[in-house]
Amino acid sequence: MTATLHRALAGRSPRHVARAPSAVRDRRVRTAAEAVLAASLSLVVFWWASGGGLADLGGWASGLDSLGRVTGLLASLLLLAQVVLMARVPLLEQAFGQDRLARVHRLVGFTSFTGMLAHIGLITWGYAAGDLTRVPGEAWDLTVDYPGMLLAVGGTACLVMVVVTSVRAARARLRYETWHLLHLYAYLGVGLALPHQLWTGQEFLVSTARTVFWWTLWGLAAGSVLVWRIGVPLRRSLRHRIAVTSVVDEGDGCLSVRLVGRHLDELDARAGQFFTWRFLSGPGWTRAHPYSLSAAPDGRHLRITVKDLGDGSRALRRLRAGTRVLVEGPYGRLTDRAGTASRIALIGAGVGITPLRALAEELGTSGRDVVVLHRFTVEPLFPREFTALAREHRVGLVPLPGPRRAGDSWLGDGVGGGSDLSALLARVPDIAEREVYVCGPDPWTRLVRQTLTAAGTPTDRVHTETFDW
């Protein structure tokens, strides 16, 4: 254990701070969002049941048709919910964080897609009077004869493409830029489904209350995208006029991009957050890249640090001073927003240390008890900066060098023997008393969380940000 760490941990007793007002509000927002979704699903099922849906289950063909209607309604509702989930609505983004929103979005998306396929199959089978041999012909007739169905088929094709490329095995074979572009077709798929629901949806048109309900949902989904994914980012980019000032090689395949702009304090960015960046440097500028801040924002400058992992990050080396930037954000919940403990531990792997370096600066400057555990293979990032933080703000430093010592370990082979739990407790004995922030690849992060759980750290005080998409 380093002398720096000894000084950081010495003479301090376990303390906690009262749950921050923002943490209480975020919990209430999460509860309210879950309640609204559950109530909406229940209302749709109630309307279906009270409108004869249950009675129709008594017949074979009518039962298929009835089940097809309810699965279609639920799939439509979940489809709109997942659009809102990833529309970067600040209230939801702050309460859930992008990691959790992405997981919920994926779960809701696959559930909605399954419901949509069930809707198509059941409705077609029901319209074919329950005769499987007539299903292909009935599917053709429905497609060409019913209003809005050709558009709905096009929308379904878009959603199939999005879902197929979202499967983990497919994502592993795609560049992030390609996946992101394909994923945008989900908006087209949702839009093409609306005419079908308007023109032929029995449950959509049967009463004024239901029509208002569905129009409100569509309006919220469309409005969320137009405002938070398009309008606000454009306004911020025009307002702040962010531009590159320099590109600095940090070693080990990493580089930092330093930026300036106007009125950057109005961005309300916090250490630990990330922006989505589009550098207006030539071909490929339309591709968005999420990069975390690697220095605490001071209202005048911004800095990101990126590892060369693909075409987008490699192109940053060619940026010139003065290159303008379009930004979306700030996003992410890997901040002190939800903090409940006065002691902090930051655990990062490789380039995952970048948002934690910014957090260490912000928290250390405020006088918090901070210890940083940095897992790296060859050379650590920001060695001089961390040394300065340790000297000036008593930030504890725990290097974890070397290649991973085993497939089921998150530690490097330079930390010596023993289990991950014993190694962690030897270096940070009070880890169970700390607020813990973890950033790194998803499999590595899961191993860290397992060790933290075994050490007694409450799960609601472990905050993560992974590199998965």
Side-chain angles (χ1 to χ4, degrees):
M1 191 182 298
T2 66
T4 301
L5 179 58
H6 277 302
R7 290 195 300 270
L9 299 180
R12 304 194 180 184
S13 58
R15 292 174 298 160
H16 296 275
V17 296
R19 182 170 292 276
S22 57
V24 175
R25 191 190 75 168
D26 290 346
R27 176 175 289 183
R28 290 173 179 170
V29 169
R30 291 194 296 268
T31 301
E34 292 163 0
V36 168
L37 180 59
S40 299
L41 292 169
S42 299
L43 181 61
V44 166
V45 172
F46 169 76
W47 277 337
W48 164 78
S50 62
L54 285 177
D56 288 342
L57 296 177
W60 175 241
S62 63
L64 292 171
D65 182 54
S66 183
L67 289 175
R69 290 200 310 273
V70 72
T71 53
L73 291 168
L74 295 175
S76 295
L77 180 56
L78 291 175
L79 187 63
L80 296 175
Q82 71 175 131
V83 170
V84 174
L85 283 172
M86 296 307 288
R88 311 292 199 192
V89 179
L91 196 65
L92 295 177
E93 206 276 338
Q94 293 169 2
F96 286 90
Q98 280 302 302
D99 274 12
R100 188 183 298 188
L101 279 178
R103 289 193 297 270
V104 175
H105 169 78
R106 189 172 296 126
L107 174 62
V108 171
F110 280 115
T111 303
S112 172
F113 181 72
T114 302
M116 181 189 70
L117 294 182
H119 164 70
I120 294 171
L122 290 167
I123 283 288
T124 306
W125 196 1
Y127 274 48
D131 184 352
L132 278 175
T133 62
R134 293 175 51 192
V135 166
E138 190 64 37
W140 174 260
D141 291 341
L142 287 173
T143 301
V144 299
D145 293 339
Y146 276 69
M149 283 300 298
L150 281 174
L151 294 177
V153 169
T156 299
C158 290
L159 294 174
V160 168
M161 178 181 65
V162 170
V163 169
V164 169
T165 56
S166 295
V167 174
R168 187 175 297 275
R171 295 204 316 272
R173 291 172 170 78
L174 292 173
R175 296 185 308 163
Y176 170 81
E177 296 85 353
T178 302
W179 174 86
H180 185 265
L181 178 62
L182 293 174
H183 214 66
L184 293 178
Y185 279 90
Y187 294 122
L188 179 60
V190 174
L192 291 175
L194 178 59
H196 159 61
Q197 193 172 26
L198 279 173
W199 296 334
T200 63
Q202 173 183 332
E203 301 291 336
F204 191 88
L205 304 171
V206 72
S207 71
T208 301
R210 301 185 199 189
T211 302
V212 169
F213 173 80
W214 285 105
W215 268 116
T216 300
L217 291 183
W218 277 99
L220 285 173
S224 297
V225 173
L226 290 173
V227 171
W228 300 111
R229 295 305 300 267
I230 300 175
V232 170
L234 282 176
R235 181 182 66 81
R236 285 180 175 165
S237 296
L238 293 172
R239 165 71 171 161
H240 300 293
R241 300 180 65 83
I242 297 174
V244 174
T245 59
S246 63
V247 178
V248 179
D249 193 336
E250 300 285 1
D252 197 25
C254 296
L255 59 88
S256 290
V257 180
R258 304 175 189 274
L259 309 106
V260 294
R262 302 186 307 178
H263 314 294
L264 294 184
D265 56 310
E266 297 176 6
L267 281 173
D268 197 27
R270 301 186 63 177
Q273 292 188 303
F274 69 94
F275 287 79
T276 298
W277 310 82
R278 290 180 173 86
F279 295 92
L280 306 183
S281 56
W285 70 267
T286 58
R287 300 168 184 164
H289 303 275
Y291 298 132
S292 296
L293 297 175
S294 60
D298 59 7
R300 302 182 304 278
H301 309 88
L302 298 172
R303 186 183 75 175
I304 59 174
T305 302
V306 181
K307 190 172 182 64
D308 185 352
L309 296 173
D311 293 347
S313 52
R314 190 174 302 121
L316 298 184
R317 292 191 179 275
R318 300 190 294 272
L319 290 176
R320 296 181 178 275
T323 299
R324 291 285 304 278
V325 187
L326 301 179
V327 298
E328 297 178 43
Y331 302 130
R333 204 166 179 270
L334 198 71
T335 70
D336 194 33
R337 176 185 179 84
T340 62
S342 61
R343 294 183 171 191
I344 310 294
L346 310 176
I347 307 177
V351 76
I353 202 68
T354 56
L356 303 185
R357 183 257 174 253
L359 262 178
E361 178 183 357
E362 180 182 275
L363 297 172
T365 302
S366 68
R368 303 288 287 277
D369 177 352
V370 181
V371 58
V372 179
L373 293 85
H374 186 184
R375 234 285 290 145
F376 56 89
T377 302
V378 181
E379 296 291 337
L381 272 176
F382 315 122
R384 290 189 297 275
E385 295 180 17
F386 275 122
T387 299
L389 287 172
R391 181 179 61 252
E392 297 169 11
H393 303 295
R394 298 184 66 195
V395 171
L397 303 178
V398 180
L400 305 172
R404 277 173 60 181
R405 57 184 185 176
D408 59 351
S409 173
W410 56 274
L411 295 171
D413 59 12
V415 303
S419 68
D420 285 8
L421 176 59
S422 62
L424 175 62
L425 292 176
R427 288 160 174 80
V428 191
D430 63 346
I431 191 67
E433 304 292 337
R434 291 179 178 264
E435 200 85 23
V436 184
Y437 296 80
V438 185
C439 187
D442 191 46
W444 180 86
T445 298
R446 285 198 296 268
L447 293 173
V448 177
R449 291 188 69 104
Q450 291 171 11
T451 305
L452 291 170
T453 299
T457 308
T459 56
D460 64 348
R461 283 202 271 114
V462 178
H463 314 285
T464 63
E465 190 116 280
T466 64
F467 300 154
D468 275 6
W469 42 270

